[in-house]
Amino acid sequence: MDLETMTAQLERLRADALVAVEGAADAAALEQVHVSFLGRKGAITEILRGIAGLDAADRPRIGAVANDVRGAVEAAAVVRDEALRAAELESRLAAETVDVTTPGRRVARGSRHPIAETVAAIDEVFGRFGFVVHEGPEIEDDVTNFQMLNIPADHPARDLWATLYVDIDDHLLRTHTSPGQIRVMRETRPPIRALLPGRCFRYEAVDASHAFEFFQVEGLMVDEGTSLADLRGLLDEFAHALFGAARATRFRPGYYPFTEPSVAFDVECVVCDGGGCPACGRTGWMTILGAGMVHPVVLRYGGIDPERYQGFAFGMGVERIAMLRHGVHDLRLFMENDLRFLEQFR
Amino acid sequence: MRVPLSWLRDFVDVDLAPEALAERLTLLGMEVKGIERWGAAWRSVVVGELLTVERHPRADRLSLTTVTVGSGEPLHIVCGATNIAPGQRVPVALPGAILPGDRRIERTEKMGIASEGMLCSGDELELTTDADGILILPADTPLGADLSELYGDVVLDVDVKPNRGDALSLIGLAREVAAATGAPLRVPTVELAEVDPGVADRLRVVVEEPALCTRFVGRIVSGVTGGPSPDRVQMRLRAAGMRPVSNVVDATNYVMLETGKPTHAFDASAIHDATIVVRRARAGERLETLDHVVRELDAETLVIADPRGPLAIAGVMGGAASEVTDATTEVVIESAIFDPVSIRRTGQRYALRSEASQRFEKGQDVPTARIGADRVAGLVAAWAGGRVLRGRVDTDPVEPGPSRVAFRPARVDRLLGTSLSADEQALLLARVGIETEPAPAAAVIPVAAGDDPLAVSVDGGDARVALVPTWRRDIEIEADIIEEIARVRGYETVPARRPETQMPAYRPSPLAVRDAVREVLVGAGLVEVVTHALVAPASLDQLAWPDDGDLPSVEVRSGGPVVTVRNPLAAQHSVLRQHVVPSLLDVLATNERHGRSRVAIFEVGKGYAKDTDGPREWWRLAFVLGGAADPAAWSRVERPYDLDDAKAILELVAERLSLRAPSFVPDQRGAPFHPGRAAAVTATIGDTGGPAAPGFVTRPGAIAVVGHVAELHPDVLAAWDLRAVRVLAAEVAIVGLGGGTLAAPMARPLSRVPSVERDLAVVVREDVPAGVVASTASRAAGELLRDLRLFDVYRGAPLATDEKSLAIRLVLQAPDRTLTDDEVDAVVRSVTDGLSVDLGARLRT
Ligand SMILES: [Zn+2]
């Protein structure tokens, strides 16, 4: 075989190979083409076997042609390979199309009870003003629940707290979180800023706004100059935090044996914004808590000198706050634990 | 206290609209709970005049009347009453009228004769108690006038606080109105036309218990005629919420509402020997009270008696035998002051709380004993005829003057955060009748009253003295004066400030552990519930959840004698619970009834017991799982909750609290547990932080979680009538749940050398728990072991039927170097040897 013939064979092979590369339908076919032209037993190798019959001077020349053909086919194969890969990816992605409008796969998530959540919200506000949480027992003694709070036995004010008594001498189910005031004063020294959340009990028939078990948060602040003006300022902050900065508040006289002066604290009705509606008895106001300056007798039972120190206390019903915050109209819902209700507080 | 404004106006002018007056009173501390339009239930009831009254041709008991209402044709109205005559003015309900009780009046036919409306009795209008006769109006009542315009009233419902007994009266509230509006107060003086003989000649009063009856005033009205009180009086009593009874009884009630002084009228003929004795009842004495209940008296009960025996329970209720009746001709009026505590206890003992006893309980203004007796005598004479006998019997005619309460004007400002001059303060006090005067050189300030009073001496120049009227028994100490100043000035004028006083020292929240646990459970898909602490006694036995018993204490110990409520509202809420799980099963059942099948709930709640030294309360985390762990969705099938879900929740809790992985030990007690699916759980404190609580050891390795987790026995599900096939429950004590802190976890440096994993398939007998295999393998592996995880369980051929194969992955790592193959092989050998020796395990190959 001579140089020309061999060169012509290689050139024909180049043309055939390029057509075959271009015609490869997928990666496997391309590999087949690759092997059949460029492999160890491929067509180029086959042709080059005849190299031995050439002149020594022609051998490098035919080698250069063969390399050129090989390089061209390799390059074409790479291009074809990339094109095939791109097409394959595209078709795979196309095949993977999902209906994006179906709902997501839910991960179960629970919820906090609105009472706990409301206690946390109250704690959050007063915590920022330096109030720290304390807790007292639910089975309380009569002395701490009443007498040390300036409510002697046989005092008509006892009618304000219908009491459940237990079969432990001189003990009852605490009717309010106020006995915690005494415990905090006895455990710590002024300056005091304490928050006392907890479960309370009363002998009370159940209806939309009454329960025999309910939750309260009590607050206590005692220092040398703590005044009624401080109480008012702090309660305003609280009302604005929970019910909006624009909500008007009202400070008026109340009555508790353990505070003097005593305060009832109202916010503009959250239903009618003060216009008057059945929810607020058409007054435009809703009472959210009771408060007052700690009575000197209570300070003394707490071991604090009323001549040197003064302070305020406040107490609120957690359910009441939660009802106003969340637009709940029946207090019974909180202890019925219907999941359809509770799951709204996720 | 119900306050008819028409009556209030007897004592003070009121120019304000009812709503505005209500707001003023509320801002003064006399909260108005409601405003009632009295007579608002009357529609189209007008004043008419009877023109003719004739007998009905077909019914003897009916009359045919013609009535003019001023305009239009006279109306023909059939009437059943007999007290009517031409010329009388009467209330006429026109066709279309509405009467109380939503009674609608239409044109009707009675025995064949048309009736164009109805003549009304006082009872039908709810104005008086007279149901038989038509209400005859005064002759000068304007014809055609709307009755609600004439007799309608506005009634304020005032919430008088227990310390303000003085305001349980129209005069007391008129004082408050005067203070709020500045209108002058008119308190009428009583002038009586008295006749001989004197009361002292006709009545003897012996007070044997002067501590319980500090004053007794008696008066007598002779020659009375029983009957109803005037219509106007009946209307006022009704508007104020009291039932008219008779002229004499109504006079006592009228005066009680007016002055706040309860009095009692006796039929003089029933008082033996004209002698009244105020004494304690004697054992065995009985009295039939006005409500016709015969009551056994005891020595704690103060009675009004005559020499023969008790006539009345003092201050609480009169006796039937001495009751004033229509036959009574002479009346003895008792106007006494009793010890408030004695009256309160007596009222509670007999479950008798009357309008009178409620006023006595709150203490009485001493002069009203005299004023009340005089006023009742005058009204009885006016309404029932008769003559007031001269003078009174009075056991303590010396009446006290104002009490003197010294206060420091500077303290007023210090407590209120105001800056008021002493003169301003004096002016404010004067509005509620409290005059002030300079203090003596050494003034004594009452700081606290009661059993342990506190008074401090100050320089008179720094103090003033308030002269407190006798009716303000609530004002005793300086703080009371301060409240009065704030109240009259208006709490609205108290400035709002943010506290500028010292901050307290930092104190961690005791809720840290409780909140961390809640957060884990919520994240794990459980809904928090809050259930009752008061439960039914039966529910204590319904689920025998184990008490702590021999378990280590990480919270307050559980179990012990049950705490019972002495005065429960209902049996199903009469004892305090000892476990939380039963309450959760109740919630599960309730929600199943609402059609819910998946219920995953938890509560961090308390249990309660009593010890010999008092009550004990403990906190527990409890949760219950029922239904589908993974609810069916379009993309997956449903998977029910099982024990591993419950255990995983406890593992998450342990992780959050930086504890070591909990260990579960089979608990085969059976009920209330599934005998093969229950475990006692414990978790210990790890090396890097964890919870801490006062009174509990919390070093690394100490137990921090202890309790039980189980699938409940089918009998339990049946007892709660549950549809769920399997219900998982857990209740555990956790250190710090009742008040504790969480240390920040300490980070370990990350190892820079690779770890090596080796998987082993270990064949053991079926009864060898995986937990035991794991702990045995861990022990044998030594310190190079970083992690050990069970990842498969296989049963079946070629294993024997009582065998199982556990696939375990060991993760090995040295802190400082890459492990060699020899080192790894040595650990694996040590593990397989250990399992083989201790558990008879072999490797599956
Ligand atoms: Zn409203």
Side-chain angles (χ1 to χ4, degrees), chain A residues 110-111 135 138-139 154 165 167 199 213 224 228 232 237 260 262 300 307-308 337 339 343, chain B residues 345 411 414-415 452 483 491 494 498 514 522 528 530-531 533-534 566 591 596 608 610 617:
Chain A
S111 55
E135 292 187 295
E138 293 170 22
I139 304 173
D154 300 309
Y165 293 91
D167 59 349
R199 189 189 292 253
E213 283 184 36
E224 290 187 356
L228 194 65
R232 186 169 192 200
E237 297 287 332
E260 188 76 34
S262 299
R300 296 190 79 205
E307 274 296 282
R308 179 170 173 201
N337 293 302
L339 293 179
E343 284 171 351
Chain B
R345 287 188 182 160
R411 278 273 160 164
R414 184 181 143 177
L415 200 70
D452 180 22
E483 178 176 63
Y491 276 28
V494 172
R498 276 190 293 280
R514 221 178 296 158
V522 169
E528 185 180 22
V530 173
T531 59
L534 288 168
R566 286 198 162 125
N591 281 284
R596 283 290 287 250
Y608 311 78
K610 59 180 178 191
E617 304 175 10

Side-chain angles (χ1 to χ4, degrees), chain B residues 442-455:
Chain B
V444 177
I445 310 290
V447 173
D451 294 341
D452 180 22
L454 174 68

Side-chain angles (χ1 to χ4, degrees), chain A residues 124-308:
Chain A
E124 206 274 335
V125 177
F126 287 104
R128 293 195 173 218
F129 288 101
F131 284 70
V132 293
V133 172
H134 292 248
E135 292 187 295
E138 293 170 22
I139 304 173
E140 187 54 277
D141 56 80
D142 188 277
V143 172
T144 316
N145 192 79
F146 285 128
Q147 297 176 42
M148 288 187 175
L149 291 170
N150 197 30
I151 313 165
D154 300 309
H155 192 281
R158 286 220 175 186
D159 293 346
L160 297 176
W161 298 275
T163 308
L164 290 163
Y165 293 91
V166 295
D167 59 349
I168 304 172
D169 283 346
D170 302 318
H171 280 72
L172 44 79
L173 299 178
R174 69 173 171 197
T175 55
H176 45 188
T177 42
S178 307
Q181 291 183 32
I182 298 288
R183 293 175 179 277
V184 169
M185 286 191 276
R186 294 195 159 195
E187 281 164 21
T188 62
R189 301 307 310 159
I192 294 171
R193 298 188 191 192
L195 210 59
L196 293 138
R199 189 189 292 253
C200 304
F201 302 79
R202 289 200 195 153
Y203 186 94
E204 192 105 54
V206 176
D207 64 22
S209 50
H210 296 88
F212 59 89
E213 283 184 36
F214 56 97
F215 290 79
Q216 277 192 343
V217 174
E218 189 90 1
L220 174 71
M221 175 164 169
V222 178
D223 200 357
E224 290 187 356
T226 303
S227 71
L228 194 65
D230 292 334
L231 171 64
R232 186 169 192 200
L234 207 55
L235 293 184
D236 275 354
E237 297 287 332
F238 170 69
H240 293 155
L242 261 72
F243 301 108
R247 193 152 302 279
T249 63
R250 193 168 76 164
F251 210 56
R252 63 182 171 88
Y255 170 70
Y256 305 97
F258 37 91
T259 49
E260 188 76 34
S262 299
V263 173
F265 186 67
D266 303 341
V267 296
E268 211 173 18
C269 175
V270 299
V271 178
C272 64
D273 286 335
C277 69
C280 57
R282 308 202 181 279
T283 62
W285 296 100
M286 290 181 144
T287 305
I288 60 166
L289 58 82
M293 302 304 293
V294 182
H295 197 285
V297 164
V298 177
L299 287 171
R300 296 190 79 205
Y301 277 123
I304 290 176
D305 177 7
E307 274 296 282
R308 179 170 173 201

Side-chain angles (χ1 to χ4, degrees), chain B residues 552-838:
Chain B
S553 289
V554 300
E555 228 286 328
V556 176
R557 193 165 52 80
S558 76
V562 173
V563 181
T564 303
V565 176
R566 286 198 162 125
N567 58 330
L569 277 142
Q572 73 259 34
H573 298 294
S574 60
V575 296
L576 284 166
R577 69 179 172 194
Q578 300 204 313
H579 292 288
V580 180
V581 167
S583 306
L584 299 184
L585 292 178
D586 291 343
V587 173
L588 173 56
T590 305
N591 281 284
E592 274 195 352
R593 282 197 295 277
H594 292 149
R596 283 290 287 250
S597 54
R598 177 185 192 271
V599 176
I601 50 175
F602 77 97
E603 180 170 7
V604 182
K606 270 185 176 179
Y608 311 78
K610 59 180 178 191
D611 296 329
T612 48
D613 58 348
R616 174 160 44 86
E617 304 175 10
W618 59 87
W619 285 91
R620 292 294 182 268
L621 162 67
F623 63 82
V624 154
L625 309 171
D630 301 327
W634 64 274
S635 55
R636 69 174 172 217
V637 294
E638 181 177 296
R639 180 181 73 78
Y641 273 120
D642 61 27
L643 190 62
D644 292 333
D645 293 300
K647 282 154 53 190
I649 288 167
L650 293 170
E651 285 161 356
L652 284 176
V653 169
E655 225 166 65
R656 173 66 182 85
L657 302 181
S658 307
L659 306 179
R660 292 181 184 139
S663 74
F664 300 97
V665 176
D667 184 317
Q668 289 159 344
R669 76 181 66 223
F673 300 154
H674 184 308
R677 296 185 175 188
V681 56
T682 52
T684 58
I685 297 200
D687 300 323
T688 63
F696 295 97
V697 180
T698 49
R699 62 185 157 64
I703 291 177
V705 173
V706 60
H708 292 88
V709 55
E711 182 176 318
L712 294 177
H713 195 281
D715 288 349
V716 172
L717 308 196
W720 259 267
D721 207 11
L722 297 174
R723 284 200 299 268
V725 181
R726 299 187 188 284
V727 172
L728 294 311
E731 188 168 307
V732 293
I734 301 174
V735 160
L737 209 54
T741 53
L742 274 173
M746 298 303 291
R748 259 195 302 255
L750 299 181
S751 175
R752 300 193 177 280
V753 298
S755 60
V756 179
E757 291 182 0
R758 282 295 171 87
D759 294 347
L760 305 178
V762 181
V763 178
V764 291
R765 286 191 319 277
E766 188 63 67
D767 61 0
V768 177
V772 172
V773 173
S775 58
T776 306
S778 292
R779 235 182 358 258
E783 60 186 9
L784 294 177
L785 184 72
R786 280 291 150 271
D787 192 19
L788 182 151
R789 208 169 310 147
L790 173 74
F791 66 93
D792 192 30
V793 180
Y794 174 78
R795 294 180 178 83
L799 303 181
T801 50
D802 65 341
E803 286 183 331
K804 62 187 173 189
S805 168
L806 306 175
I808 293 170
R809 175 161 300 162
L810 305 174
V811 181
L812 306 175
Q813 191 181 43
D816 52 351
R817 64 188 195 282
T818 304
L819 293 178
T820 63
D821 284 353
D822 286 350
E823 285 176 302
V824 173
D825 290 343
V827 172
V828 170
R829 234 181 354 263
S830 162
V831 168
T832 51
D833 289 353
L835 291 172
S836 158
V837 170
D838 291 357

Side-chain angles (χ1 to χ4, degrees), chain B residues 355-375:
Chain B
E355 289 279 336
S357 74
Q358 286 184 39
R359 284 172 173 81
F360 279 119
E361 279 180 17
K362 295 177 174 75
Q364 293 271 297
D365 177 21
V366 174
T368 59
R370 166 183 52 82
I371 295 165
D374 289 3
R375 180 81 171 132

